[in-house]
């Protein structure tokens, strides 16, 4: 993983999460910070500090970013699988794959005790 | 058979739609950002199915709603978040009197609870606790009473209140809201308890822009309290049949009025004279009022008038020359009046007209020559007139026409080629017994058609071959009795269809259902009076969007359909036999 493809998100407690830039860009707020012109330190160093987001919540948010990317790609896969089905190519195995990809990993689990705090952070991050 | 089964559609009073507004369940006057993101979006699971990733905000709101009993208060949350949770709860129908308690003092702005189940006075305490933050409240269809309205007294920033169909609110309730002078929109549709006396409460609502008292049957004499409401732009007193000429007088000074709906009242030509000063009036709905062409004298000075509805009034040719002065009109409804070709002469100069309704008027081919210059016409209603084939030549040049209704006229196959060049046409009603396959053959150039009604026309299997040209058809009705399964083969590829009516074709069999099983966009299907049997129902399983299914006089029982509904067609809400 090249350094320029990653960003560092820092929680209130100083905990650092290094994640793919692509994942972080799921958040409209982070995307703006990293891409908009101007003298954003964030843009220079690929580093964003969130003094009001706790480590637990920031971790959850990072999980969501990846879930969101995976969600998009799963749907892309499903479209492709349908195409494969139509060309009568490995019909049964693609069907199995499709049903697997629809399984429980497509649900994003949220612990009830985190929900309110997570929602406030999501609101801030525009995600 | 078939001709006897032809039917006339009910006249729909559609003034609400003239401004292009959505008349949906939660249609409100004040706009709110979340209205776009919450109510108008499909439920979360459907959204997932469509492949759009739910936002983390949506997932959290959804999660909170699932565990709503675990939360005792949201008052520590920023307002936009608690508002989103509230909206999600309403949307998912999980909000109850108990879960509402968590929203006490949340400074919410919008509480859209129109038609929400079990809302009553006990909800008002929490609703009112939003205090000065509260801007819009819709409690339409609730059991809220006069004493419930007392709570709103202190919500002095309220801008919009809807209490439609709240039959437990009376004059006393109005008294409670009389001090809410920031109100711009107020609605109390269908209320039999409000009288002139209670309407005195409106006098202080000096910022009111929109007032809706549709179907309030006892408000006669009460409009005098509106005299000082000079900001009023829209007044709806449709179906208040107590309203008389006397009630028009207080409206004469409301010069900011843009929209006035007094249909189905007792207002006559005399009452209309009071409206002469309303120079900003763009919409006037007089449907069903006992006015004659003499009222045109008063209306001719209303230079801003765009929409005029005189459907089912008492107009005759006498006095119709005044129509020529209404040159700004875009929409004119003259249906069901005793007017003839002599009246149409005076419409010649109304070149801004986009919609003209002459339903059931005494007009014929000769009169249509006066429409040839109305080149902006998009919609022309000639149903139940004496128009015949030779009159259609006058329509050939009206190339902007999008919708033409020729049902129950004397037109026959020979005249239809005159419509072939109307390339903008989207909707065509040819529910006419004389029309046959030959007529349809003349229309194959109309490839933009989305709605084609051939209900009573005598279309046979060979005629259906022409339907292949109408790839965009969303609704199709062919009920003349001449179709067999062979004809349905040409319908099965019209993949845009959402409404299909093939009833009265008594030779259609289960094969028809098999043929149309690929039309997965179908929302409504009618194959009544045919040889369909319960064995054929299995072919309908792929039609997951089906909401209405009618199979009267077939070998199908209500239980057969219910079984299909419970296992395969969960969206089916209306079916016959039932």
């Amino acid at each position: 993983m090249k350094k320029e493809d990653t960003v560092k998100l820092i929680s209130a407690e100083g905990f650092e999460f290094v994640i793919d830039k692509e994942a972080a860009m799921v958040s409209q707020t982070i995307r703006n910070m990293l891409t908009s012109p101007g003298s954003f330190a964030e843009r220079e160093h690929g580093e964003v500090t969130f003094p009001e987001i706790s480590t637990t919540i920031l971790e959850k948010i990072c999980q969501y970013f990846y879930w969101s990317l995976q969600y998009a790609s799963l749907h892309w896969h499903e479209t492709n699988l349908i195409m494969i089905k139509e060309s009568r190519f490995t019909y049964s195995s693609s069907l199995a794959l499709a049903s697997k990809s629809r399984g429980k990993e497509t649900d994003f689990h949220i612990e009830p005790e985190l929900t309110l705090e997570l929602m406030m952070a999501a609101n801030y991050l525009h995600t | 058979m078939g001709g006897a089964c032809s039917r006339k559609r009910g006249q729909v009073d559609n003034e609400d739609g003239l401004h292009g507004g959505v008349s949906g369940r939660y249609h409100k006057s004040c706009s709110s950002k979340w209205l776009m993101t919450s109510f108008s979006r499909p439920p979360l699971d459907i959204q997932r199915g469509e492949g759009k990733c739910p936002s983390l905000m949506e997932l959290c709101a959804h999660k909170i709603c699932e565990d709503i009993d675990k939360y005792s208060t949201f008052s520590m949350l920023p307002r936009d978040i608690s508002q989103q949770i509230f909206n999600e709860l309403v949307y998912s129908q999980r909000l109850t009197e108990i879960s509402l308690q968590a929203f006490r003092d949340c400074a919410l702005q919008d509480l859209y609870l129109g038609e929400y189940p079990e809302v009553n006075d006990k909800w008002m305490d929490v609703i009112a606790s939003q205090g000065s933050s509260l801007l819009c409240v819709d409690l339409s269809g609730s059991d809220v009473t006069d004493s419930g309205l007392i709570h709103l007294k202190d919500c002095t920033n309220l801008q919009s209140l809807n209490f439609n169909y709240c039959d437990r609110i009376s004059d006393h309730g109005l008294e409670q809201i009389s001090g809410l002078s920031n109100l711009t929109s107020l609605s109390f549709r269908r209320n039999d308890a409000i009288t002139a006396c209670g309407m005195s409460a409106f006098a202080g609502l000096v910022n009111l822009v929109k007032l809706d008292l549709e179907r309030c049957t006892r408000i006669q004499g009460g409009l005098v309290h509106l005299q000082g409401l000079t900001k009023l732009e829209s007044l709806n007193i449709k179906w208040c049949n107590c309203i008389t000429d006397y009630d028009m007088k207080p409206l004469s000074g409301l010069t900011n009025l843009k929209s006035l709906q007094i249909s189905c009242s007792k207002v006559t030509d005399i009452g209309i004279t009071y409206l002469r000063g309303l120079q900003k009036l763009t919409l006037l709905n007089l449907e069903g009022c006992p006015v004659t062409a003499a009222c045109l004298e008063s209306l001719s000075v209303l230079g801003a008038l765009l929409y005029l509805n005189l459907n089912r009034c008492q107009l005759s040719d006498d006095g119709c020359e005044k129509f020529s002065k209404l040159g700004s009109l875009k929409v004119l409804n003259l249906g069901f009046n005793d007017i003839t070709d002599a009246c149409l002469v005076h419409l010649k100069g109304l070149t801004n007209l986009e919609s003209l309704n002459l339903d059931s008027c005494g007009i014929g081919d000769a009169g249509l020559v006066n429409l040839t210059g109305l080149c902006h016409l998009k919609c022309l209603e000639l149903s139940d007139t004496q128009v015949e084939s030779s009159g259609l030549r006058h329509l050939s040049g009206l190339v902007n026409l999008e919708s033409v209704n020729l049902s129950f006229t004397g037109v026959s196959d020979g005249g239809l080629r005159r419509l072939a060049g109307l390339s903008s046409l989207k909707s065509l009603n040819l529910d006419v017994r004389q029309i046959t396959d030959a007529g349809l053959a003349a229309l194959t150039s109309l490839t933009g058609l989305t709605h084609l009604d051939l209900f009573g026309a005598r279309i046979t299997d060979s005629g259906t071959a022409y339907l292949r040209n109408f790839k965009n058809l969303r609704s199709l009705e062919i009920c003349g009795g001449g179709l067999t399964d062979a004809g349905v083969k040409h319908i099965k590829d019209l993949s845009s269809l959402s409404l299909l009516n093939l009833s009265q074709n008594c030779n259609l069999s289960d094969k028809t259902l098999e043929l149309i099983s690929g039309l997965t966009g179908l929302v409504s299907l009618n194959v009544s009076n045919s040889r369909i049997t319960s064995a054929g129902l299995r072919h309908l399983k792929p039609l997951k969007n089906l909401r209405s299914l009618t199979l009267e006089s077939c070998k199908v029982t209500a239980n057969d359909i219910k079984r299909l509904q419970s296992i395969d067609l969960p969206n089916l809400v209306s079916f016959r036999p039932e």
Side-chain angles (χ1 to χ4, degrees):
Chain A
M1 201 152 68
K2 283 191 225 146
K3 190 170 182 291
E4 59 267 32
D5 293 336
T6 65
V7 287
K8 194 186 280 181
L9 307 182
I10 305 167
S11 74
E13 297 88 347
F15 206 95
E16 297 178 350
F17 294 88
V18 177
I19 64 169
D20 287 290
K21 203 169 177 179
E22 186 196 5
M25 302 273 250
V26 168
S27 155
Q28 194 59 47
T29 307
I30 297 178
R31 173 185 291 268
N32 289 345
M33 287 173 168
L34 296 175
T35 59
S36 60
S39 57
F40 271 117
E42 291 85 355
R43 200 177 158 214
E44 288 292 306
H45 308 292
E47 206 176 282
V48 190
T49 308
F50 298 102
E52 297 191 1
I53 302 181
S54 71
T55 308
T56 327
I57 295 297
L58 194 55
E59 182 181 14
K60 199 75 202 169
I61 283 167
C62 292
Q63 284 171 13
Y64 171 79
F65 290 158
Y66 280 100
W67 179 82
S68 174
L69 292 182
Q70 172 220 0
Y71 189 96
S73 74
L74 272 181
H75 278 268
W76 184 83
H77 276 305
E78 278 174 26
T79 323
N80 271 2
L81 286 168
I82 288 163
M83 284 165 63
I84 292 167
K85 264 193 282 178
E86 279 179 353
S87 64
R88 293 164 195 274
F89 176 70
T90 60
Y91 181 88
S92 56
S93 62
S94 65
L95 201 70
L97 260 170
S99 61
K100 194 182 167 195
S101 71
R102 280 177 219 262
K104 64 180 177 194
E105 65 263 41
T106 58
D107 280 333
F108 185 69
H109 179 71
I110 299 172
E111 292 79 358
E113 65 275 15
L114 297 184
T115 322
L116 286 183
E117 211 184 327
L118 186 60
M119 195 173 181
M120 283 195 267
N123 191 38
Y124 169 70
L125 292 173
H126 215 288
T127 186
Chain B
M1 66 161 292
C5 300
S6 273
R7 77 285 185 246
K8 178 90 183 168
R9 295 223 171 73
Q11 293 298 301
V12 188
D13 190 5
N14 66 346
E15 247 64 28
D16 291 339
L18 285 178
H19 294 304
V22 189
S23 55
R25 194 173 148 218
Y26 291 100
H27 176 224
K28 294 297 165 321
S29 51
C30 60
S31 72
S32 209
K33 205 172 73 179
W34 61 263
L35 257 181
M36 306 300 294
T37 57
S38 182
F39 274 145
S40 56
R41 74 175 160 74
L44 214 54
D45 359 58
I46 292 177
Q47 207 176 38
R48 283 177 188 171
E50 284 170 356
K52 189 184 168 296
C53 184
S55 72
L56 188 53
M57 282 290 277
E58 288 170 330
L59 291 171
C60 288
H62 194 71
K63 179 75 184 163
I64 292 168
C65 291
E66 276 177 2
D67 309 324
I68 189 65
D69 301 341
K70 298 197 176 94
Y71 298 89
S72 57
T73 179
F74 295 115
S75 61
M76 70 296 192
L77 292 180
R79 168 171 54 219
D80 45 350
I81 295 183
S82 47
Q83 181 80 61
Q84 185 162 350
I85 297 169
F86 181 86
N87 296 341
E88 180 71 31
L89 271 179
V90 174
Y91 187 85
S92 61
Q93 302 250 326
R94 283 195 171 103
L95 186 71
T96 63
E97 193 193 324
I98 296 159
S99 52
L100 179 73
Q101 297 300 322
F103 292 95
R104 188 179 296 278
D105 301 318
C106 278
L108 298 177
Q109 292 182 327
D110 306 301
L111 301 178
Y112 293 135
L113 291 164
E115 291 169 55
Y116 197 83
E118 292 173 33
V119 176
N120 56 37
D121 285 349
K122 290 180 192 158
W123 293 48
M124 295 307 291
D125 181 29
V126 176
I127 288 173
S129 74
Q130 314 307 324
S132 56
S133 298
L134 201 55
L135 301 178
C136 298
V137 175
D138 185 353
L139 296 171
S140 296
S142 71
D143 287 330
V144 169
T145 72
D146 290 338
S147 35
L149 292 192
I150 296 174
H151 295 274
L152 294 179
K153 256 183 164 169
D154 298 325
C155 301
T156 50
N157 286 323
L158 270 170
Q159 294 173 356
S160 170
L161 275 179
N162 278 17
F163 290 102
N164 301 325
Y165 319 109
C166 293
D167 47 16
R168 300 175 71 178
I169 291 175
S170 73
D171 288 349
H172 300 297
L174 298 188
E175 222 176 287
Q176 309 303 331
I177 60 163
S178 61
L180 301 176
S181 59
N182 283 314
L183 279 176
T184 55
S185 174
L186 187 57
S187 190
F188 281 98
R189 287 188 180 191
R190 214 187 68 191
N191 186 306
D192 292 331
I194 294 175
T195 70
C197 178
M199 285 169 72
S200 63
F202 296 154
L205 306 178
V206 291
N207 286 306
L208 216 51
V209 173
K210 190 166 181 263
L211 179 60
D212 192 335
L213 297 171
E214 184 178 315
R215 286 175 204 264
C216 291
T217 52
R218 293 174 61 204
I219 59 167
Q220 69 276 18
L223 300 186
V224 5
H225 301 296
L226 308 184
Q227 277 183 115
L229 307 184
T230 51
K231 291 187 180 170
L232 206 60
E233 291 180 11
S234 168
L235 178 61
N236 179 6
I237 42 174
K238 277 195 285 193
W239 301 95
C240 302
N241 51 12
C242 55
I243 293 292
T244 67
D245 290 340
Y246 174 78
D247 291 296
M248 292 299 102
K249 199 173 174 184
L251 303 185
S252 60
L254 299 177
T255 51
N256 278 314
L257 269 184
K258 289 178 182 161
S259 167
L260 179 59
Q261 308 208 49
I262 49 178
S263 35
C264 302
S265 66
K266 294 196 178 82
V267 174
T268 73
D269 299 332
I270 297 166
I272 302 302
T273 61
Y274 293 113
L275 308 181
R276 297 175 66 105
L278 306 182
Q279 289 300 317
K280 291 185 182 169
L281 205 61
T282 57
L283 184 151
L284 182 59
N285 183 358
L286 298 174
E287 179 163 355
C289 292
V291 296
T292 72
C295 78
L296 299 175
E297 175 78 48
S298 308
L299 301 184
S300 62
V301 300
L302 300 176
L305 208 55
L306 300 178
Y307 311 91
L308 179 59
N309 189 346
L310 292 166
N311 200 37
R312 295 174 196 266
C313 293
Q314 296 176 5
L315 269 65
S316 64
D317 294 336
D318 202 19
C320 277
E321 61 278 2
K322 287 285 190 313
F323 270 118
S324 58
K325 293 189 176 172
L326 297 169
S328 58
L329 280 184
K330 280 188 174 176
V331 177
L332 178 60
N333 188 342
L334 292 172
F336 297 88
N337 280 289
D338 190 18
I339 53 172
T340 71
D341 293 343
C343 171
L344 295 193
V345 176
H346 306 296
L347 303 185
K348 222 176 182 172
L350 304 186
T351 51
N352 289 313
L353 273 185
E354 290 175 10
S355 172
L356 179 61
N357 188 337
L358 296 166
D359 194 343
S360 302
C361 295
I363 58 155
D365 295 340
L368 294 188
V369 72
N370 297 297
L371 307 185
T372 52
L374 306 182
C375 56
H376 291 112
L377 266 190
K378 288 181 184 167
C379 178
L380 182 59
E381 173 74 55
L382 295 170
S383 181
D384 257 318
T385 59
Q386 289 138 33
V387 169
E388 293 182 7
S389 284
S390 74
L392 298 185
R393 68 177 190 275
H394 301 304
L395 307 185
S396 306
L398 299 175
V399 292
N400 289 312
L401 276 174
E402 292 175 7
S403 170
V404 175
N405 189 342
L406 292 165
S407 60
F408 304 92
T409 59
V411 298
S412 53
D413 293 338
L416 295 188
R417 65 191 166 85
R418 301 286 190 175
L419 303 179
L422 300 178
S423 55
S424 300
L425 216 51
K426 290 183 182 137
S427 171
L428 182 59
N429 190 330
L430 285 170
D431 182 1
V432 178
R433 196 61 187 148
Q434 312 78 277
I435 298 293
T436 72
D437 297 341
L440 202 51
L443 297 174
T444 51
S445 58
L446 301 178
T447 52
L449 277 182
T450 56
H451 301 281
L452 180 58
D453 189 338
L454 292 161
F455 189 93
R458 282 175 292 175
I459 304 299
T460 71
D461 293 340
S462 56
T464 57
Y466 304 115
L467 295 172
R468 280 179 303 189
N469 299 287
F470 309 133
K471 293 259 183 293
N472 298 311
L473 273 187
R474 296 208 296 265
S475 82
L476 176 65
E477 306 195 46
I478 302 180
C479 311
L483 283 197
T484 73
D485 296 334
V488 178
K489 279 185 187 145
H490 296 123
I491 293 174
K492 74 174 172 52
D493 295 321
L494 299 173
S495 57
S496 299
L497 277 178
S498 63
L499 182 150
L500 181 60
N501 185 357
L502 298 175
S503 61
Q504 324 307 332
N505 293 299
C506 54
N507 289 315
L508 296 181
S509 74
D510 290 343
K511 180 73 184 166
T512 282
L513 297 189
E514 187 182 344
L515 285 167
I516 62 169
S517 61
L519 295 175
T520 52
L522 278 181
V523 172
S524 171
L525 176 65
N526 188 343
V527 201
S528 294
N529 278 306
S530 63
R531 286 197 235 148
I532 305 279
T533 70
S534 50
L537 290 182
R538 65 193 154 91
H539 298 302
L540 300 180
K541 289 178 184 178
L543 305 183
K544 299 293 182 203
N545 291 308
L546 210 58
R547 293 174 61 82
S548 168
L549 176 63
T550 312
L551 295 169
E552 296 275 30
S553 304
C554 297
K555 286 188 177 134
V556 174
T557 67
N559 278 336
D560 296 332
I561 301 182
K562 276 179 194 158
R563 204 170 305 129
L564 182 70
Q565 177 196 33
S566 64
I567 302 167
D568 295 294
L569 300 178
N571 289 320
L572 200 60
V573 285
S574 158
F575 54 84
R576 285 182 178 277
E578 59 176 0

